[in-house]
Amino acid sequence: MIKYNPKDAALVWPEGDYQATLEIAEETVSKAGEQMHALTFTAYNGERTMNVRDYIVYPGFTWKLKRLARALGAEEEFKAGNFDLNEHQGRNLTLKLGIQPAKDGFDERNRVLGYAPKDGVPKTEELEGLPF
């Protein structure tokens, strides 16, 4: 019999700040038919890694793109209207992760609450008013 620790079955990490890498920034269309980015990050917790997904739907959530640009050191590109997430794949940043409770038959999971520069912490005002 293979030895295992039942605690390893946890699907979520504690709420907090984690170093991460932007792996994929896919341009796609939301279920409502709006343009959006489907983002995949690799988050790091010691030797463990986890993929975390986040979404930016336009135009309603363009503010998230601005905060992501700031975290990646590309705020001027954003202000100029030419911030291309594809050019920033592989870049590092800090993700503030929270926990979305289990519902509708799905287990609890981590969700992105904020972005900050690598080794940084999201500012409080960046977390206020998040709709999710």
Side-chain angles (χ1 to χ4, degrees):
M1 183 170 150
I2 295 175
K3 298 277 185 188
Y4 65 92
N5 183 342
K7 292 180 182 178
D8 289 340
L11 300 175
V12 297
W13 291 352
E15 292 182 353
D17 300 323
Y18 295 91
Q19 296 301 298
T21 303
L22 173 61
E23 300 291 349
I24 300 169
E26 178 185 6
E27 295 178 15
T28 187
V29 177
S30 73
K31 291 178 183 177
E34 298 178 305
Q35 291 185 318
M36 75 174 199
H37 275 105
L39 307 173
T40 303
F41 299 93
T42 298
Y44 305 96
N45 185 5
E47 303 238 345
R48 298 179 70 193
T49 62
M50 174 177 56
N51 286 338
V52 180
R53 303 269 299 170
D54 198 19
Y55 304 90
I56 302 175
V57 180
Y58 304 97
F61 290 85
T62 305
W63 57 268
K64 285 178 71 174
L65 183 66
K66 179 181 180 180
R67 292 177 181 170
L68 182 54
R70 185 182 309 143
L72 294 171
E75 192 169 13
E76 293 305 314
E77 290 175 42
F78 176 84
K79 288 178 182 177
N82 60 9
F83 176 59
D84 183 354
L85 272 173
N86 292 315
E87 294 179 12
H88 294 274
Q89 292 178 113
R91 300 273 314 274
N92 298 319
L93 69 157
T94 299
L95 292 180
K96 177 134 188 111
L97 296 181
I99 298 174
Q100 180 173 322
K103 74 177 199 177
D104 299 328
F106 292 97
D107 290 328
E108 65 183 359
R109 67 178 181 90
N110 285 110
R111 64 180 181 172
V112 176
L113 297 178
Y115 312 109
K118 182 181 174 189
D119 300 321
V121 178
K123 297 177 182 170
T124 302
E125 67 268 14
E126 291 183 0
L127 301 176
E128 293 175 358
L130 289 179
F132 46 88

